Amino acid sequence: MSIISVDFSKEAEDRYLTYALSVVNNRAIPDVRDGLKPVQRRILFAMYSHLHLTPEKNFRKSAAVVGEVLAKFHPHSDQACYEAMVRMAQDFSLRYPLIKGQGNFGSLDGDGAAAYRYTEAKLSKFALEVIGDIDHKTVDMRFNFDQTTDEPVVLPARVPNLLVNGSSGIAVGLATNIPPHNLSEVVEALKLILADPEVKDAELLKAIKGPDFPTGCSIVNTKAEIKEIYATGRGTIYMRGDYLVEDLSRGKRQLVITSIPYGVNKSQLVEKIAEQISNKKIQLINDIRDESTDDIRVVLNLVGDADPDVVMAFLYKHTQLESPFAVNLTALVPTDNPFATRPKTLSLKQVLLQFLNFRRDVTRSKLEFEKAELEKRIHLLEGLKIVLDALDEAIKIIRKSDGRKDAEEKLIKRFKLTETQASYIVELRLYQLSKTSVDQILEELTEKKKRVKEIVKILASEKLLLGLVDADLDRVVEEFGDKRKSKIITTSQEFEYDADSYIQHEDVSVLITRDGWVKRQKKGLSVDSARLREGDAVQFILEASTQDTLSVISSQGVVYGLKVLDLPQTSGFGDPIQKHAKFSDNERIAGIDLIKNEKISGEALVLTTRGLGMRVPRELMLGAKRGGKKLCKISEGDALTVYLPVEKNSLIFSLTSGAYGLLWKVEELPLVSGPAKGVITMKLPTEEQVVGALVVTKDAKVLAVKESGSTSQIDVKDLSLSSRAKRGHKLVRNGLPLIGLKQG
């Protein structure tokens, strides 16, 4: 055994690149010529050439197709192969399905297909146009994985399948996402290029208005956006579901969604809208039901004289009824090596040119194959014609010969024939030499020679060759062309979204626990009746409205804005705060505030565990979202522990874990307008922390909370007014350390 020393990093890089190229070329990215990934191409080829499942034949079990593909062409996952096959049969996935399925092949509601032992399939008529003239040596063939049979490098598609059916895939380091288009429009653009290869993009866009999704829906991009997408091969198409309003009896109306964006799960969409209704996020509709059959029909009951446009504005913003499609026109393009391709991001015109160049080459190969076959036949017929002039003599030679080989040699010697001609004549049956057959043979010879001359003429003329490509496109459109399903709205109606239009005022109680669980319930929730997780306790409870915004201030000095309406309305535990705000690890809730009507005024006191404090304008709460907004700077090892709305001349009582209390005026702290560290409010030894602070009056009583859960009462009147940055007075002797402070 020999040991070879290699550079590990270089070896890993080489192997990873090999893997990456394999994924790009053999798995995830379609070929620009036939628009297929390898697994799709192999499925169609196996169904056509090996299983002969053409449209006029009977269906066969999908298991037979998957087995044939895996056994001879694609030794990978059977489930992945079946999923690729299923997608080619779904009329909501492909604009022009390539497989005709029988049985359950999935649905728009996200239902998966039945197992392949239950479903049956055969090729669709459109698939034959993608398979093209595969039997006429029009494309290169190569060995399959075990070199037992051949498979095509690419299918000789007669239709621009990449554009009309689209494709998506994720490889290593790159991806593709090509939307489907209307066949008639794409062919019209191809014909424009055939007429003028220098045609401008603007002219092509008069033919191809934009994508055409199988689920319908509207496209709401501007002309400039669509032009940019097709020029660069990248961009975003915005899809929007269509709707109509139906009048009912007694002045009632209902809104009907008639199409949804491509790729959207209809069942999940309906569920999301129902959730918005049940959570009272939108109270302009009170019910939803899915009445879809072959056509999409999702019915929404409008409340009173609710404006349908206002309802749709909400749905477009909060559901997938408006969705983006990230266009990425990346495909494999041919290279000088007929068995190799490379990925490239293409413009629309480049995709069309690649297809036309391919069709020209395929048409040329088809004609050359036909010419070769005709010349073989002509060669045989010419030999037969020579013999027909001395037919009786030829028959005598054959009768007197000593077998087939001897007869062939004598005919070759007598009539100057080739071996092929002699063999053909010897194998003829006598009835084929009747007068009628002879006339047919001579007529066939004349026709085939004429056809060869036509082919030679076509092959010598680029114009005539492209004329055949043009004629093929006309035939395909005549058979499969149809109207657009997706409307292009370049000057779309702007649905103005005003959140307040959808929120009905409702007074509620908001509860936040020590462990960070939050919920809302009907007004009047008491601490005693609140349902809590074991070991948890109520930290904050306040009265609010569904139109208010809750500001949550964290121990890291960050303020998060939460819509009260977005909080779960439940009698259960509620949601963890992390579901509504992007809390980091070890971040906890230190305080809350409430914004009403997008307005808030006054000041708030902020204190940290290390005794630093400041005053901040409560207006700093405005504009905070779930991602957070910095309120103050917190040093390492410190944490924000108190946030208190305060008024002018407020008295502040602050308490430490060592039971030292201090009474001071809030004006002693600076008012800051942005994130700051603050100033010292109490002098603390290293082991002590500020555990709480309250706004108090001279005669107030407060409770110091001990670690055991018990409390000690403190009379504020027993304290003398001091100034900040003092140690304070020792107020509690037993049960230390203290962990909190609350009103008495």
Side-chain angles (χ1 to χ4, degrees), residues 497-559:
Y497 175 75
D498 178 8
D500 293 337
S501 300
Y502 306 93
I503 303 173
Q504 184 175 0
H505 172 82
E506 181 183 355
D507 291 326
V508 295
S509 294
V510 176
L511 181 144
I512 299 177
T513 74
R514 184 180 59 208
D515 290 344
W517 288 73
V518 59
K519 64 179 178 179
R520 63 181 166 94
Q521 289 185 214
K522 290 184 178 181
K523 186 178 180 180
L525 175 68
S526 67
V527 174
D528 295 335
S529 64
R531 185 181 177 192
L532 304 174
R533 294 163 61 87
E534 186 175 353
D536 202 358
V538 174
Q539 184 176 9
F540 303 103
I541 189 167
L542 74 160
E543 303 302 316
S545 163
T546 49
Q547 294 177 323
D548 297 340
T549 299
L550 180 68
S551 296
V552 177
I553 299 90
S554 81
S555 57
Q556 297 300 314
V558 179
V559 57

Side-chain angles (χ1 to χ4, degrees), residues 284-455:
L284 303 179
I285 48 179
N286 58 20
D287 189 27
I288 181 172
R289 58 187 182 276
D290 188 358
E291 299 180 354
S292 303
T293 52
D294 291 337
D295 298 320
I296 295 173
R297 181 179 169 85
V298 178
V299 180
L300 306 171
N301 285 353
L302 294 172
V303 174
D305 58 352
D307 186 344
D309 290 345
V310 173
V311 173
M312 293 307 296
F314 179 90
L315 297 180
Y316 287 146
K317 182 173 179 64
H318 292 280
T319 72
Q320 287 185 296
L321 201 56
E322 180 171 308
S323 299
F325 185 100
V327 177
N328 183 352
L329 298 181
T330 297
L332 299 177
V333 298
T335 63
D336 293 336
N337 182 346
F339 300 101
T341 55
R342 63 184 179 88
K344 185 178 180 181
T345 300
L346 305 164
S347 67
L348 173 65
K349 187 174 181 180
Q350 288 173 330
V351 173
L352 297 172
L353 283 171
Q354 287 281 353
F355 177 74
L356 285 177
N357 291 337
F358 174 61
R359 281 304 303 159
R360 180 195 58 204
D361 294 342
V362 166
T363 303
R364 184 186 297 278
S365 298
K366 178 186 176 183
L367 290 173
E368 289 173 346
F369 174 81
E370 184 184 355
K371 178 173 171 286
E373 293 298 307
L374 286 172
E375 287 173 342
K376 289 179 185 178
R377 181 62 177 167
I378 288 171
H379 181 63
L380 298 177
L381 294 177
E382 285 179 336
L384 183 56
K385 181 182 177 183
I386 293 171
V387 170
L388 289 176
D389 293 336
L391 184 58
D392 292 339
E393 182 182 356
I395 293 174
K396 288 180 180 180
I397 291 173
I398 294 171
R399 290 184 64 185
K400 292 181 179 180
S401 62
D402 296 329
R404 173 176 171 175
K405 187 66 176 174
D406 183 47
E408 289 178 5
E409 290 175 353
K410 288 178 179 178
L411 288 175
I412 291 171
K413 184 177 180 180
R414 168 63 183 85
F415 296 104
K416 309 299 183 191
L417 303 176
T418 64
E419 290 184 7
T420 305
Q421 289 172 327
S423 176
Y424 172 69
I425 291 168
V426 169
E427 290 179 356
L428 279 175
R429 297 175 181 176
L430 286 176
Y431 78 84
Q432 292 177 277
L433 300 177
S434 65
K435 185 176 186 307
T436 303
S437 296
V438 169
D439 290 341
Q440 291 173 345
I441 290 169
L442 296 176
E443 184 180 348
E444 181 186 354
L445 180 59
T446 302
E447 290 176 354
K448 283 183 167 41
K449 285 183 175 181
K450 180 181 177 182
R451 176 58 181 161
V452 168
K453 288 181 180 179
E454 290 175 355
I455 292 174

Side-chain angles (χ1 to χ4, degrees), residues 2-206:
S2 62
I3 298 176
I4 302 173
S5 178
V6 297
D7 186 314
F8 181 79
S9 62
K10 187 176 185 307
E11 190 71 15
E13 180 180 347
D14 289 345
R15 291 177 183 243
Y16 183 77
L17 286 175
T18 301
Y19 163 72
L21 287 172
S22 174
V23 172
V24 169
N25 289 287
N26 299 320
R27 294 284 189 92
I29 308 299
D31 195 296
V32 71
R33 295 167 289 182
D34 62 6
L36 299 172
K37 300 177 186 179
V39 64
Q40 296 170 324
R41 186 178 302 116
R42 288 163 174 167
I43 290 170
L44 296 181
F45 180 68
M47 292 179 73
Y48 178 80
S49 295
H50 290 252
L51 299 175
H52 310 294
L53 294 177
T54 48
E56 72 279 1
K57 299 292 182 62
N58 293 328
F59 288 93
R60 280 198 68 181
K61 286 288 186 184
S62 299
V65 177
V66 173
E68 184 74 12
V69 174
L70 265 59
K72 295 182 178 178
F73 303 110
H74 198 73
H76 300 288
S77 161
D78 61 331
Q79 196 58 40
C81 178
Y82 182 51
E83 287 174 2
M85 177 183 168
V86 165
R87 189 176 187 278
M88 289 193 288
Q90 294 174 336
D91 59 4
F92 53 87
S93 294
L94 267 63
R95 185 65 176 79
Y96 304 91
L98 301 174
I99 289 175
K100 189 173 183 180
Q102 188 165 269
N104 176 15
F105 275 80
S107 74
L108 263 176
D109 291 323
D111 303 317
Y116 53 53
R117 62 183 177 273
Y118 299 121
T119 61
E120 297 179 334
K122 62 180 179 179
L123 294 170
S124 70
K125 289 184 178 180
F126 191 81
L128 297 184
E129 303 298 333
V130 176
I131 295 169
D133 300 300
I134 191 72
D135 299 323
H136 290 70
K137 295 185 179 179
T138 46
V139 291
D140 292 302
M141 304 291 286
R142 61 185 170 197
F143 277 129
N144 66 340
F145 65 92
D146 61 358
Q147 299 188 356
T148 56
T149 186
D150 289 334
E151 65 171 319
V153 174
V154 64
L155 292 180
R158 289 190 285 258
V159 293
N161 185 58
L162 182 68
L163 283 177
V164 299
N165 272 327
S167 185
S168 64
I170 300 175
V172 179
L174 59 89
T176 185
N177 202 28
I178 302 171
H181 292 76
N182 182 270
L183 176 64
S184 300
E185 291 183 0
V186 175
V187 168
E188 185 180 346
L190 289 169
K191 290 170 73 66
L192 287 174
I193 296 179
L194 285 173
D196 177 14
E198 302 300 322
V199 64
K200 302 296 183 184
D201 288 350
E203 291 298 314
L204 294 178
L205 294 184
K206 290 180 181 179

